Amino acid sequence: MFEPKRLHPVAVLSGILQTLKEAIIPLVVLLFLGGSSGKGIQFIIFGVIFFFLIVFSFLSWLRLTYWVEDGELRIESGVFVRKKRYIRFERIHSIDVSEGILQRIFGLAQLKIETAGSNGGKPEAELTAITKQESNEIIAIFNEVKKAGKRKLDSDHVNEADTGKELAKEDETDSASVVFKQTFPQLFLMAATSGGIGVVLSGAAAFLSQFDELIPFKKISAEAQQFIQSGILLMILMVLLLFIVAYLVATARIVLMYAYFTAEKVGEELIISRGLLEKRQLTIPLKKIQGIKIAENLIRQPLGYASVYLEYAGGSASDRDTVNILLFPLVKKEQLKEKINQFVPGYELQTELKGLPKRSYIRYFFRQLFIIIPIVAAASWILWPWGLASFALIPIAAVWAYLKFREVGWNINGNQLQLRTRIVSKQTYIFQKSRLQVFDRRVSYFQRRKQLSTIAAIVKSGAGPREGKLVDLEQKDAEFMNDWFSYSEHKKHP
Amino acid sequence: MEPRNRISSKALKVWRVSGAINAAICWVITIAILVVTILFDWPYWAIGAAGLISAAVTYISVFLFPSMKWKRWRYDVREKEIEIQSGLFIIKRTLVPMIRVQHVETNQGPLLRKYQLASVEISTAATTHEIPALELTEADELRFYISKMASVEEDDV
């Protein structure tokens, strides 16, 4: 621990795999661009690339050492350019522990260390393969330092106000922890209603288009033509089967990702861990949470379930998982308010929302019509007279517009702003005034004639902005919200 | 109540000049089409369409949009917040609290420099906002003022 050490040799392998994963698209392109003329040369090029990859990964491993000294985590690395990173434990915001498949086989762990400086880009430092014991020791030191820092802060408080009671209270909340565990039936329900099939289907399409040259599609389609003649029913069955398989794959993928999902609140931190094959653990300081999003998709909403996400200012932009953090993958609607309050104190879900004025419905309807009318016109013209059936889309658009219109609502409760809207799924944002970066109001010419406005409240999420937006609100309400957000005392609207 | 301050009236000139540059590019393309039409006996409607489009672009980007934009542009820098109003067809009013401002900078491109103007860029943790054209001295004062007011309070993101 206090001696310079290397990572576990598995790091070499994981380095190679990581690079291959990042370079997969250029490699595939290279493979197919060459065509069939010079296969030999291609293999030589690949061989050379692969050889250098192995050598480079090995050298990187050889040159990377880490140790703990003087309250710092010290990492020296780099093959050609030596890089020394000394990170004070006080400066570390969070340490994420994950175990990929490779790490699990060898009983290792991967640490990602985040500081304030690692905002947006990659994590400040990464130890890809170390023994569990080492990882636990580093985390223990980190926790120790943090606790010491907190004690110091607390004692400063006492000197100022000398309230021993407050200190005791703080200790109490420190030790009390709440735990949320996703049960297995809920996990399956969540995976089955996730809509992850879209990801798998688009992935399959991308895969097929990439391997265009590999599979003789022309030959297949010639056979397919015969096939079609032999029975359209069979064709439909095949497509159906494909969908079912894709659906099952998508569901299984989510089950693997979110198995054993546990969210735990310990003191001022949330610890979220999940995963069956690949384990991930995230530690999120409460004070870095910028807002909460509650999502109810079209399948879950009638079943009375919702998912809760955290808008989190830390994390690296490249890592999708840390930008969209699930706090509760699936939770009964009745429990939402209580659960959110337990885990993220200060966020109070409100049920009484103020909606839109009736006159804005027509604008919601028009917006749908703008999408629908070209489709209806084209269908009617091309598929005359059967295309006229597409006129049925217009009442459907009217109903959908109504569903969107109906869900929009807002509530201001003390320093909290709650916004609800429907994109496809129903989304509720809860923001605190102290976390909102910017508030804006937009009025178009047509909106002004009807005294309506669009508003957007923006918080920081990951490295970028996240916007909660309500369209066609009563103008007076927009002004009211603007005044609520304004920090100036004097200005009031006439 | 709209924000009180307008941006410099010279901004109108700057926008007209940069609009004129865009228009000039359109006219160059039109002339190229004209040459090709004569050389290769292309149909004449192509040159007519190109001419019409260029004329429209010239009118819109040199005359219409700059004056519309300038009329809409307002800003107010108060003790605790900055309010910015902008937009062509949709008027957008943005409220940025001082404690959210992370840094301010003034920028000056070649066009702005010619007219002794500068733009002020205000960044929060998540967004950036620009006041596009102020007198250089005014922009500098604003930058000093905002960074002074912004550093009074420090908050967690």
Side-chain angles (χ1 to χ4, degrees):
Chain A
M1 182 86 295
F2 301 99
E3 300 281 291
K5 273 191 85 165
R6 291 209 175 86
L7 299 176
H8 191 277
V10 166
V12 180
L13 194 57
S14 107
I16 293 172
L17 288 178
Q18 185 66 32
T19 316
L20 279 180
K21 207 166 122 192
E22 278 163 15
I24 189 84
I25 291 167
L27 281 179
V28 168
V29 168
L30 193 67
L31 193 69
F32 289 120
L33 267 190
S36 51
S37 54
K39 276 277 185 253
I41 296 170
Q42 272 183 21
F43 277 115
I44 293 171
I45 292 174
F46 272 108
V48 171
I49 291 175
F50 203 63
F51 175 74
F52 276 111
L53 189 60
I54 291 172
V55 171
F56 189 77
S57 292
F58 178 73
L59 287 178
S60 314
W61 170 75
L62 202 68
R63 299 278 275 164
L64 190 147
T65 52
Y66 68 95
W67 70 97
V68 175
E69 195 179 316
D70 275 350
E72 289 179 335
L73 176 65
R74 300 187 167 179
I75 301 173
E76 295 190 356
S77 63
V79 177
F80 300 113
V81 183
R82 285 300 274 172
K83 195 169 172 185
K84 297 181 183 184
R85 266 173 301 187
Y86 294 178
I87 307 168
R88 292 212 66 79
F89 275 100
E90 287 96 333
R91 294 249 305 110
I92 296 175
H93 272 164
S94 68
I95 299 183
D96 294 342
V97 191
S98 60
E99 293 167 40
I101 296 171
L102 262 183
Q103 282 92 347
R104 293 206 71 183
I105 293 170
F106 293 93
L108 304 170
Q110 175 174 13
L111 293 190
K112 278 186 190 160
I113 290 135
E114 307 248 9
T115 65
S118 51
N119 230 341
K122 290 193 160 185
E124 178 82 38
E126 212 171 349
L127 297 173
T128 47
I130 60 174
T131 60
K132 281 221 178 118
Q133 195 197 341
E134 289 271 324
S135 125
N136 289 339
E137 276 174 45
I138 290 176
I139 290 169
I141 296 172
F142 169 57
N143 285 335
E144 189 91 347
V145 169
K146 208 165 51 182
K147 230 182 245 162
K150 208 171 164 234
R151 257 203 299 280
K152 191 170 162 282
L153 254 174
D154 284 345
S155 62
D156 285 354
H157 261 295
V158 174
N159 286 344
E160 265 173 30
D162 102 273
T163 40
K165 219 164 82 190
E166 203 171 286
L167 190 70
K169 217 164 88 192
E170 196 125 323
D171 273 349
E172 205 173 289
T173 49
D174 243 22
S175 53
S177 74
V178 264
V179 181
F180 172 87
K181 274 202 170 78
Q182 195 83 67
T183 61
F184 264 88
Q186 273 180 341
L187 170 70
F188 284 114
L189 184 63
M190 176 234 169
T193 58
S194 70
I197 183 167
V199 178
V200 172
L201 279 182
S202 58
F207 181 79
L208 282 179
S209 63
Q210 284 273 351
F211 286 80
D212 210 14
E213 285 194 30
L214 213 65
I215 305 166
F217 264 114
K218 285 219 177 90
K219 216 167 130 197
I220 289 183
S221 26
E223 276 159 18
Q225 226 140 50
Q226 266 185 348
F227 191 66
I228 290 167
Q229 279 157 5
S230 72
I232 282 178
L233 190 71
L234 215 69
M235 210 35 208
I236 292 171
L237 276 179
M238 284 293 283
V239 171
L240 213 65
L241 196 74
L242 192 80
F243 265 92
I244 290 171
V245 169
Y247 179 68
L248 288 178
V249 169
T251 305
R253 192 176 142 258
I254 289 176
V255 166
L256 288 181
M257 271 170 76
Y258 288 99
Y260 300 114
F261 185 97
T262 316
E264 193 179 356
K265 177 171 172 280
V266 183
E268 296 298 299
E269 279 176 348
L270 290 177
I271 300 169
I272 295 172
S273 53
R274 62 177 171 82
L276 191 66
L277 293 180
E278 209 168 330
K279 275 196 199 168
R280 279 193 70 106
Q281 191 179 340
L282 269 173
T283 308
I284 299 162
L286 281 181
K287 61 172 190 181
K288 299 221 87 186
I289 292 172
Q290 306 291 307
I292 281 180
K293 184 176 106 180
I294 302 162
E296 297 162 65
N297 71 22
L298 287 172
I299 310 169
R300 287 176 194 163
Q301 194 185 348
L303 296 175
Y305 281 102
S307 314
V308 179
Y309 293 86
L310 297 175
E311 304 295 351
Y312 169 53
S316 38
S318 53
D319 196 347
R320 216 159 41 91
D321 291 342
T322 58
V323 174
N324 245 339
I325 297 169
L326 262 176
L327 175 62
F328 308 132
L330 202 63
V331 65
K332 268 269 174 210
K333 243 181 128 174
E334 300 87 68
Q335 296 177 333
L336 266 176
K337 188 183 166 81
E338 186 199 339
K339 288 268 185 221
I340 289 175
N341 207 350
Q342 269 177 4
F343 279 79
V344 207
Y347 286 82
E348 301 264 356
L349 181 68
Q350 302 295 316
T351 40
E352 294 279 309
L353 298 192
K354 185 155 189 241
L356 298 179
K358 283 203 184 72
R359 63 182 186 281
S360 48
Y361 169 71
I362 194 76
R363 287 181 51 81
Y364 275 78
F365 181 45
F366 278 157
R367 260 193 293 275
Q368 299 302 318
L369 272 192
F370 280 134
I371 309 170
I372 292 296
I373 280 178
I375 299 175
V376 171
S380 307
W381 192 45
I382 297 166
L383 299 170
W384 181 269
W386 302 111
L388 289 178
S390 63
F391 271 90
L393 283 173
I394 290 173
I396 293 174
V399 172
W400 178 242
Y402 179 71
L403 287 178
K404 289 184 85 149
F405 163 81
R406 196 189 56 180
E407 296 299 3
V408 178
W410 61 276
N411 172 292
I412 285 176
N413 180 31
N415 277 327
Q416 176 185 286
L417 173 67
Q418 185 174 330
L419 303 174
R420 189 177 69 193
T421 186
R422 180 192 284 287
I423 313 292
V424 177
S425 55
K426 183 172 143 189
Q427 299 182 334
T428 308
Y429 288 100
I430 308 178
F431 296 139
Q432 302 294 335
K433 185 176 168 182
S434 60
R435 290 286 179 253
L436 277 178
Q437 300 288 339
V438 172
F439 183 88
D440 65 46
R441 290 177 284 165
R442 299 158 207 182
V443 185
S444 72
Y445 171 72
F446 296 105
Q447 278 179 319
R448 190 169 50 226
R449 282 206 324 198
K450 288 194 156 180
Q451 305 262 304
L452 299 171
S453 324
T454 294
I455 61 105
I458 298 164
V459 292
K460 186 179 183 197
S461 173
R466 167 87 65 190
E467 168 180 280
K469 188 170 150 191
L470 300 187
V471 181
D472 292 336
L473 216 62
E474 183 83 65
Q475 195 177 319
K476 288 256 160 31
D477 290 353
E479 277 164 15
F480 179 77
M481 287 155 93
N482 193 71
D483 285 352
W484 166 82
F485 182 62
S486 172
Y487 283 72
S488 297
E489 294 87 15
H490 60 86
K491 45 144 299 245
K492 280 283 159 275
H493 282 280
Chain B
M1 197 179 75
E2 288 191 315
R4 282 164 302 177
N5 306 318
R6 286 177 182 279
I7 56 174
S8 166
S9 57
K10 284 193 262 175
L12 208 53
K13 279 187 203 156
V14 173
W15 286 337
R16 293 220 156 111
V17 170
S18 76
I21 294 170
N22 287 340
I25 294 170
C26 275
W27 283 111
V28 167
I29 294 171
T30 308
I31 290 167
I33 291 176
L34 180 70
V35 171
V36 175
T37 309
I38 292 167
L39 280 182
F40 298 103
D41 250 1
W42 278 11
Y44 280 100
W45 61 263
I47 181 69
L52 272 179
I53 290 171
S54 297
V57 167
T58 309
Y59 172 66
I60 289 171
S61 67
V62 178
F63 299 102
L64 187 63
F65 280 5
S67 47
M68 270 175 89
K69 232 161 87 179
W70 190 82
K71 238 171 69 190
R72 303 269 186 254
W73 249 107
R74 302 280 175 95
Y75 72 95
D76 232 345
V77 178
R78 294 186 274 264
E79 196 181 329
K80 290 185 171 169
E81 65 199 2
I82 302 159
E83 189 168 15
I84 297 171
Q85 171 183 304
S86 66
L88 274 173
F89 299 107
I90 297 170
I91 302 172
K92 181 171 163 182
R93 286 172 69 170
T94 308
L95 203 56
V96 187
M98 279 295 180
I99 48 170
R100 297 282 165 266
V101 175
Q102 295 213 322
H103 61 266
V104 222
E105 55 186 50
T106 47
N107 294 319
Q108 207 182 24
L111 252 183
L112 288 178
R113 183 157 14 190
K114 187 168 177 293
Y115 290 92
Q116 271 120 48
L117 299 175
S119 64
V120 178
E121 201 177 88
I122 301 152
S123 306
T124 69
T127 54
T128 49
H129 309 273
E130 195 190 36
I131 303 175
L134 295 178
E135 295 290 338
L136 189 55
T137 48
E138 205 185 332
D140 282 337
E141 273 167 28
L142 206 61
R143 192 191 61 217
F144 275 125
Y145 181 76
I146 292 174
S147 70
K148 196 182 82 197
M149 297 316 289
S151 61
V152 171
E153 263 179 279
E154 199 59 54
D155 223 1
D156 223 342
V157 178

